[in-house]
Amino acid sequence: MILKQFYLPCLAHASYVIGDEGTGAAAVVDPQRDTDQYIAFAAENALHIEHVFLTHLHADFVAGHLELRDRVGAKIYLGAAAKAAYAFTPLHDGVLLEFGRVRLKVLETPGHTPESISIVVYDLGASDAQPHAVLTGDTLFIGDVGRPDLRAALGWSANQLGGMLFDSLHGKLLALPDACLVYPAHGAGSLCGKALSKETVSTLGNQRQFNYALQPMSKEEFIQVVTADQPDAPAYFNYDALLNSEERLTLDEALAREMNPLTLDEVLRLQASGAQILDTRDAGEFASAHLAGSINIGLGGQYATWVGTVLDQKHPIVIVADPGRENESAVRLGRIGFDHVAGFLKDGLHSLESRPELVAFTERLSAQYAAELLASSQPPLAVDIRAPRERDQKYIAGSLSVPLSHLMENLQKLPKDRPLLVYCAGGYRSSIAASLLQRSGFDSVGEIAGGIAGWEAAKMPVQTAARTL
């Protein structure tokens, strides 16, 4: 048996290929939308992908089940409670699928979503009684469990799904042996939970001992614990969950429509009619020079998540990228179903060399200089755009907390007659925030280079939030 994990750091997403070397049959579980790596791996190992499973209708990315169906003829499987516009095989509790020495047993484990399943994997060459692993989707993570509050738009309350999650964990997953490996669909950085580990595999015994949500407690206590302090869910989550249930364009079809080189004049016309100009270059490069009115979300960070948080599906997107990275920029948008790309600026920023009046800049101040300005008689307003839990640990005295995920709805809290000095943890998110503020008409916006990490490295003082006992 072959069991291979594929991990996509920018979305903290894990997917899997399970194959039988004897028959060459293989299944893919929770694939990302760009599926070349699974097909290449199958070819390298003399496998043919016959099955594709979704453990649930994911909210944070668009899965590649339709791509694998269309490219290699894979059959799609979903939990029996799922509803979808394409043909799929519904999987009830206890259903078995065997190919060669591989046995897959389905457990219906609702809670994160109503249709969630887990897949118990048996290597029949080793044992037909003891499971080798369980692919838990977003029901059980390493160090956490799936949040139960993402289906409110479909009429499911967090308390309802939280109770189902408790039953799934205690009635199904915790009945498996301690030695059973646990392979989840997400790791640290995912917004599908609140305390996910950086580890991407564990054992059930380890999770039974150390996972906070699996400790002895009543169902009511469990619901209270797992529904508290969940991070904000980006607006695109509902969009992606719905898209995963629909028949849609494949990624290749979307890219064929989108990868249009646009002249500067064409980009300006699109911008004037409401298009979102997305600059995917590094924050430092963006600060040095960019097309006025563009939004910087660099490929070097959690690009897709922040695109889905601050951009919308109503207005077309025009990509500005380092030459040669336009396709990567569009593919990673496609991973969250943002298929409304109108094209990309031909030759990137080089197109602006003869139009200096269109070029804007963002000042990035050293921590020392920022501290001097903040201590002056007419200081700028420091704006902390980190999440509340980050600010609770430490912050720059006198700064105003406006989390990036809520920045656009709180612009009225910010003065336009006073310079703004934005900071985050290290400089990635502050560039996003500064570009959004400039686009919204704030004329004097700067950043603290290196964020609060740079501030501390320069030995500048930080405040810590007072804790009440």
Side-chain angles (χ1 to χ4, degrees):
M1 184 183 76
I2 296 171
L3 175 52
K4 167 72 173 177
Q5 183 185 72
F6 295 82
Y7 196 76
L8 183 63
C10 64
L11 287 173
H13 164 222
S15 53
Y16 301 89
V17 171
I18 307 164
D20 174 62
E21 291 181 285
T23 63
V28 183
V29 179
D30 291 331
Q32 64 191 60
R33 195 177 178 194
D34 42 322
T35 55
D36 285 352
Q37 61 183 338
Y38 312 116
I39 294 171
F41 179 80
E44 291 166 5
N45 290 275
L47 300 172
H48 43 92
I49 298 169
E50 298 180 0
H51 317 282
V52 55
F53 294 81
L54 297 191
T55 56
H56 61 290
L57 298 172
H58 294 272
D60 63 315
F61 70 96
V62 174
H65 50 301
L66 300 187
E67 282 74 10
L68 289 173
R69 178 198 66 185
D70 290 357
R71 293 185 67 179
V72 300
K75 187 176 182 180
I76 299 173
Y77 301 81
L78 303 176
K83 296 179 180 178
Y86 46 81
F88 68 92
T89 298
L91 297 172
H92 293 274
D93 201 65
V95 165
L96 301 178
L97 176 66
E98 292 190 9
F99 43 96
R101 295 188 175 186
V102 175
R103 174 187 293 160
L104 304 180
K105 180 180 179 181
V106 174
L107 300 178
E108 289 189 88
T109 51
H112 176 64
T113 69
E115 78 285 350
S116 290
I117 60 171
S118 298
I119 301 171
V120 185
V121 181
Y122 291 83
D123 179 358
L124 299 180
S127 172
D128 63 356
Q130 295 298 311
H132 172 72
V134 58
L135 309 186
T136 55
D138 286 7
T139 300
L140 174 62
F141 298 126
I142 311 306
D144 202 357
V145 293
R147 60 190 298 178
D149 62 334
L150 295 180
R151 288 295 185 269
L154 299 179
W156 293 91
S157 74
N159 284 353
Q160 282 178 303
L161 288 174
M164 296 165 73
L165 183 62
F166 180 88
D167 293 339
S168 294
L169 292 166
H170 291 271
K172 303 283 181 67
L173 293 178
L174 289 177
L176 297 172
D178 282 352
C180 183
L181 296 173
V182 175
Y183 286 107
H186 287 97
S190 170
L191 296 175
C192 295
K194 60 183 176 181
L196 285 73
S197 169
K198 294 180 180 179
E199 302 299 321
T200 60
V201 62
S202 183
T203 64
L204 202 58
N206 180 277
Q207 291 308 294
R208 199 189 308 273
Q209 184 175 1
F210 296 110
N211 190 317
Y212 78 93
L214 301 184
Q215 301 314 301
M217 66 183 86
S218 68
K219 181 184 290 190
E220 291 70 25
E221 290 170 324
F222 173 86
I223 292 170
Q224 185 175 3
V225 166
V226 300
T227 56
D229 300 322
Q230 290 289 356
D232 287 337
Y236 81 92
F237 270 28
N238 284 333
Y239 172 74
D240 276 17
L242 179 61
L243 202 57
N244 277 319
S245 71
E246 295 180 340
E247 189 71 46
R248 51 159 176 79
L249 292 179
T250 65
L251 182 60
D252 286 343
E253 291 169 337
L255 292 174
R257 186 183 66 183
E258 295 170 357
M259 296 310 294
N260 306 305
L262 302 171
T263 66
L264 177 58
D265 286 339
E266 288 173 320
V267 170
L268 294 175
R269 281 196 293 273
L270 285 165
Q271 185 179 32
S273 63
Q276 303 167 104
I277 311 301
L278 173 62
D279 192 320
T280 69
R281 297 174 301 141
D282 175 77
E285 294 177 348
F286 180 85
S288 298
H290 57 266
L291 175 62
S294 55
I295 300 167
N296 178 229
I297 307 178
L299 291 172
Q302 287 187 301
Y303 166 75
T305 298
W306 283 113
V307 166
T309 300
V310 304
L311 301 191
D312 62 48
Q313 295 100 29
K314 298 176 183 177
H315 300 90
I317 294 172
V318 174
I319 292 169
V320 178
D322 285 322
R325 302 196 76 179
E326 300 90 354
N327 191 72
E328 178 189 355
S329 300
V331 166
R332 290 173 63 179
L333 292 178
R335 288 175 181 163
I336 61 165
F338 273 50
D339 292 345
H340 50 296
V341 174
F344 61 91
L345 177 60
K346 186 180 179 181
D347 299 323
L349 257 286
H350 296 300
S351 300
L352 298 177
E353 289 175 353
S354 61
R355 301 287 300 275
E357 75 278 9
L358 299 175
V359 178
F361 309 90
T362 307
E363 191 172 10
R364 306 193 97 192
L365 284 64
S366 69
Q368 293 92 334
Y369 184 43
E372 291 175 14
L373 290 178
L374 291 171
S376 68
S377 58
Q378 293 184 309
L381 175 63
V383 182
D384 183 348
I385 54 88
R386 299 173 301 152
R389 282 185 291 177
E390 295 175 275
R391 184 174 173 85
D392 282 348
Q393 296 173 12
K394 54 194 171 187
Y395 61 94
I396 296 173
S399 61
L400 177 67
S401 175
V402 186
L404 177 55
S405 57
H406 295 286
L407 178 64
M408 296 306 292
E409 67 201 61
N410 285 293
L411 293 179
Q412 74 283 356
K413 294 182 179 179
L414 301 174
K416 286 197 172 183
D417 59 352
R418 181 180 176 187
L420 303 178
L421 199 50
V422 183
Y423 73 93
C424 63
Y428 180 82
R429 287 172 290 172
S430 63
S431 184
I432 301 173
S435 66
L436 288 169
L437 290 169
Q438 289 176 327
R439 183 174 181 259
S440 300
F442 290 82
D443 296 326
S444 183
V445 181
E447 300 175 62
I448 299 177
I452 202 162
W455 181 270
E456 288 190 294
K459 310 299 183 185
M460 299 299 168
V462 294
Q463 294 281 107
T464 55
R467 292 287 187 178
T468 58
L469 299 178

